[in-house]
Amino acid sequence: MDPIDMQVTDHNCEYLGLSRLCLMENAGKSLSDEVATLSTFTFSKPVKIVIFTGSGGNGGDGFVAARHLLNRGFSVDLCLLKNDDEIKFQDALTNLKVLRNLNPRVSRLNINYLKDSSEIDKLDIAFNNNFSESIIIDGILGTGIKGKIRSKERRAIEVINKSNALKVAIDVPSGMNPLTGEVLDVCVKADYTVGFHKVKTGLKIASEDIVGGLITCDIGIPLEAELFVGDGDLLKLKNRSNNSHKGNNGSLLIIGGSKEYSGAPGLAGISAISSGVDLVHVATPESAATPIKSYSPDLIVHSLKGDYLNLNNQEEILNLVEDVDAVLIGPGASQNDETKKLFNILVHKIKKPIVLDADALKLVNRKLISKRNDIILTPHNNEFKQFYQDIIHEEGLTFDDVSMRFDNLNYKTVNDKLTFFQSVTNSIEGVTVVKGESDFIFQGSKVKINTTGNPGMTVGGTGDCLAGLTSGLLAQGLNVFDSASLATFLNGKAGDLAMDKYGYGFAASNLSEFIGKLMDGV
Ligand SMILES: NC(=O)C1=CN([C@@H]2O[C@H](COP(=O)(O)OP(=O)(O)OC[C@H]3O[C@@H](n4cnc5c(N)ncnc54)[C@H](O)[C@@H]3O)[C@@H](O)[C@H]2O)[C@H](O)CC1
Ligand SMILES: [K+]
């Protein structure tokens, strides 16, 4: 599992009501169980445990383990590289404070704050004298490591490596990149690494010299925490750089609108802006251009000849595509033969990430896009059935099988439904978002479920908002699967906030006012 996915899952546990303090407790307890077992197998008599801790969650696991190991009768020396003020991870600090509160202390616990490298040098001497009958637990750095190892941490790692104690790393040996397994500078050479939930990607690649024996412990994260989209998925969005320029945070082209429909591309455009994209262009027939311009001064509207998008607009549209990062095709386009021809040529010629929504789903030929892994489709149930009708028949499925009603279904039927949908959506390499009471996001073997939203969202235009958000995130560089997943979450959550403020009378145009704040969520 990638460390970023692990962080997302941690946050999403919190969103489901499972606190990280609780996960840390489970992690520290499992670690203590493993250390006790290793101790029994490796040594003939009780040994001393020395735990090095840093300022993050990794150290927090160490504090919890200390408490459990004391209860098992071990004598524990805590070596803190950071004092209480420097520990920014609240749950870690909470667990350290529990240990500090054991005063006067009857258990065999020593808490040593290693102020500077000279204090670590003193430990070096102690370790050289008599540490073969000890276990050192490394809780200095885990998945939160960034950049070059700072000098104090570096020195501690060197001292740990020099000692002849049995070394157990928490989650990842400190110094190793948990994603790539690379070691830029120094790294704890562990005899065992005790990881949590799932093996971090880097540990599978790194040399055994560093990782030692790999033990993975379950810490009670439910399957759904990985499956459901939550505000943790916002972590995947790169932070905006302080010195970024206009356009650095993405630009989007929306191709849509017609004589009858000008609201749809407008709503999609405003939603895209609320997701943080810098520039949104709208290419639309002249009959829709003026209403869209007057709807919002934030959109750059390009007026194209005709009442409907048509083949004569092709060159102008392709020129506009050159300057953007992603393209949304479909909102408000209406259905006619000329628009159909244009859309099928565009999906063939545009080599940038594309979102297909609304009328585009009825006009574009599935076979033309089946090999593209940079495309997102956002159908509701009926559009889904129409777009995939030949596959549904080929698979011997019925429309009922792919009907997204999940009420009163048990886990078996839910799993069967997901399998049906997967077998159909697997016929394309891109992402399919099936919108409904819950939204389902499929790409190959990957599935995500979004549970935000409410019945008020059946009001016209919320689908356009979703398409705008999805393409806005795509334009900011998020991959297709993550863009689609996060957009469903944000759109539904904005609907829930709109419902709180306006009741069932909210309109699609109310959603965008909530998105900006939601994006600050983690
Ligand atoms: N679901 C789980 O797997 C759980 C894992 N837990 C543990 O939490 C850590 C991740 O915690 P986090 O606070 O994000 O990161 P770290 O502990 O690695 O510490 C970050 C900390 O370290 C400082 N730092 C970063 N880079 C450097 C550097 N190059 N040199 C020196 N110091 C550095 C930074 O300033 C931060 O303060 C995970 O590995 C698990 O062990 C939880 O217990 C919950 C469940
Ligand atoms: K570690």
Side-chain angles (χ1 to χ4, degrees):
M1 185 175 208
D2 281 8
I4 180 70
D5 288 325
M6 190 67 241
Q7 283 168 13
V8 169
T9 303
D10 276 358
H11 273 269
N12 288 349
C13 278
E14 197 103 37
Y15 186 75
L16 293 173
L18 176 58
S19 73
R20 278 191 290 169
L21 186 65
C22 180
L23 294 180
M24 185 175 279
E25 184 65 31
N26 291 346
K29 169 73 170 87
S30 339
L31 172 68
S32 71
D33 289 344
E34 296 303 334
V35 169
T37 309
L38 290 172
S39 163
T40 315
F41 279 122
T42 320
F43 303 104
S44 51
K45 56 178 191 187
V47 293
K48 184 189 249 319
I49 312 273
V50 181
I51 309 179
F52 282 80
T53 56
S55 55
N58 204 247
D61 298 342
F63 301 140
V64 175
R67 180 162 30 85
H68 287 282
L69 287 164
L70 288 168
N71 280 1
R72 284 176 172 269
F74 287 94
S75 125
V76 177
D77 277 7
L78 265 188
C79 295
L80 311 182
L81 294 183
K82 301 285 176 187
N83 67 27
D84 299 28
D85 296 344
E86 293 168 307
I87 296 176
K88 301 286 178 242
F89 195 129
Q90 207 45 48
D91 299 333
L93 190 58
T94 302
N95 278 304
L96 172 58
K97 283 190 171 159
V98 173
L99 297 175
R100 287 220 187 276
N101 290 340
L102 311 178
N103 208 359
R105 192 174 293 143
V106 290
S107 53
R108 293 189 290 165
L109 170 69
N110 287 309
I111 304 180
N112 313 303
Y113 168 50
L114 305 173
K115 211 164 52 254
D116 50 38
S117 293
S118 69
E119 306 218 3
I120 304 174
D121 292 342
K122 284 185 211 151
L123 271 183
D124 191 13
I125 297 162
F127 283 175
N128 278 338
N129 290 339
N130 177 23
F131 258 74
S132 56
E133 302 267 300
S134 308
I135 298 177
I136 293 182
I137 299 179
D138 153 35
I140 303 174
L141 291 163
T143 50
I145 184 176
K146 285 198 178 68
K148 213 169 164 294
I149 309 287
R150 286 171 218 143
S151 64
K152 201 165 156 189
E153 284 75 8
R154 183 176 208 288
R155 182 71 190 121
I157 291 170
E158 283 168 354
V159 167
I160 292 173
N161 283 344
K162 253 177 84 187
S163 95
N164 51 5
L166 184 84
K167 298 163 199 88
V168 179
I170 307 180
D171 212 23
V172 245
S174 295
M176 194 191 93
N177 180 323
L179 176 64
T180 62
E182 281 169 332
V183 174
L184 280 181
D185 187 1
V186 287
C187 179
V188 166
K189 290 191 169 173
D191 296 300
Y192 294 94
T193 297
V194 179
F196 309 116
H197 185 57
K198 284 188 176 162
V199 181
K200 311 293 172 299
T201 318
L203 292 173
K204 295 185 204 160
I205 312 164
S207 118
E208 208 186 308
D209 264 15
I210 291 170
V211 177
L214 191 53
I215 301 165
T216 304
C217 302
D218 180 65
I219 55 171
I221 293 178
L223 272 177
E224 286 79 357
E226 269 183 53
L227 212 51
F228 292 179
V229 199
D231 61 359
D233 288 65
L234 283 164
L235 290 169
K236 296 204 167 171
L237 261 184
K238 289 173 201 75
N239 284 337
R240 237 162 225 264
S241 148
N242 284 339
N243 48 14
S244 58
H245 304 292
K246 198 184 293 169
N248 285 7
N249 299 300
S251 53
L252 171 71
L253 173 65
I254 298 175
I255 305 166
S258 59
K259 192 174 163 193
E260 286 83 17
Y261 301 109
S262 54
L267 282 171
I270 294 301
S271 282
I273 286 178
S274 71
S275 78
V277 73
D278 277 349
L279 297 169
V280 176
H281 298 260
V282 182
T284 193
E286 52 201 350
S287 47
T290 309
I292 299 174
K293 278 182 194 165
S294 49
Y295 174 60
S296 171
D298 300 317
L299 304 172
I300 308 162
V301 182
H302 304 267
S303 173
L304 307 174
K305 279 247 156 314
D307 283 335
Y308 300 96
L309 291 161
N310 59 75
L311 276 177
N312 294 329
N313 306 142
Q314 189 193 154
E315 207 181 310
E316 212 170 332
I317 290 176
L318 289 174
N319 282 338
L320 291 170
V321 169
E322 303 224 329
D323 295 329
V324 297
D325 301 293
V327 179
L328 163 62
I329 305 180
S334 299
Q335 295 171 51
N336 62 65
D337 275 354
E338 277 292 295
T339 310
K340 182 175 181 170
K341 282 180 203 152
L342 173 73
F343 281 4
N344 281 292
I345 286 182
L346 288 180
V347 292
H348 181 63
K349 291 200 171 166
I350 296 174
K351 303 293 177 215
K352 293 190 174 168
I354 299 176
V355 177
L356 294 181
D357 184 44
D359 292 315
L361 291 165
K362 296 176 186 123
L363 300 177
V364 169
N365 184 334
R366 186 184 55 79
K367 292 189 177 109
L368 268 182
I369 54 124
S370 63
K371 292 282 167 226
R372 286 194 62 167
N373 60 11
D374 59 350
I375 253 181
I376 302 173
L377 317 179
T378 50
H380 53 57
N381 211 227
N382 286 337
E383 286 165 343
F384 180 91
K385 287 172 187 168
Q386 191 174 340
F387 186 81
Y388 283 113
Q389 55 182 309
D390 51 337
I391 296 291
I392 292 172
H393 291 312
E394 265 172 40
E395 293 273 327
L397 299 170
T398 67
F399 283 149
D400 248 10
D401 293 327
V402 286
S403 160
M404 255 306 171
R405 291 199 63 81
F406 277 78
D407 351 333
N408 301 324
L409 297 181
N410 62 29
Y411 75 94
K412 166 132 188 14
T413 29
V414 171
N415 280 312
D416 285 350
K417 285 252 172 222
L418 291 179
T419 311
F420 287 142
F421 271 90
Q422 250 173 342
S423 63
V424 174
T425 53
N426 251 332
S427 61
I428 68 162
E429 291 184 14
V431 173
T432 309
V433 179
V434 188
K435 299 182 286 195
E437 194 181 328
S438 297
D439 307 303
F440 290 77
I441 302 99
F442 298 95
Q443 185 179 31
S445 59
K446 292 192 283 189
V447 186
K448 279 265 189 185
I449 302 175
N450 172 54
T451 58
T452 58
N454 59 72
M457 297 192 70
T458 51
V459 64
T462 55
D464 302 313
C465 295
L466 175 67
L469 273 178
T470 311
S471 48
L473 295 172
L474 202 54
Q476 289 171 73
L478 214 57
N479 71 37
V480 272
F481 190 72
D482 293 340
S483 298
S485 305
L486 183 56
T488 57
F489 173 81
L490 292 170
N491 204 47
K493 193 81 187 158
D496 293 341
L497 295 174
M499 168 86 158
D500 287 346
K501 185 165 175 188
Y502 301 107
Y504 269 128
F506 72 84
S509 55
N510 293 128
L511 297 190
S512 59
E513 81 183 69
F514 302 101
I515 301 289
K517 270 281 162 233
L518 283 173
M519 306 278 302
D520 295 338
V522 283

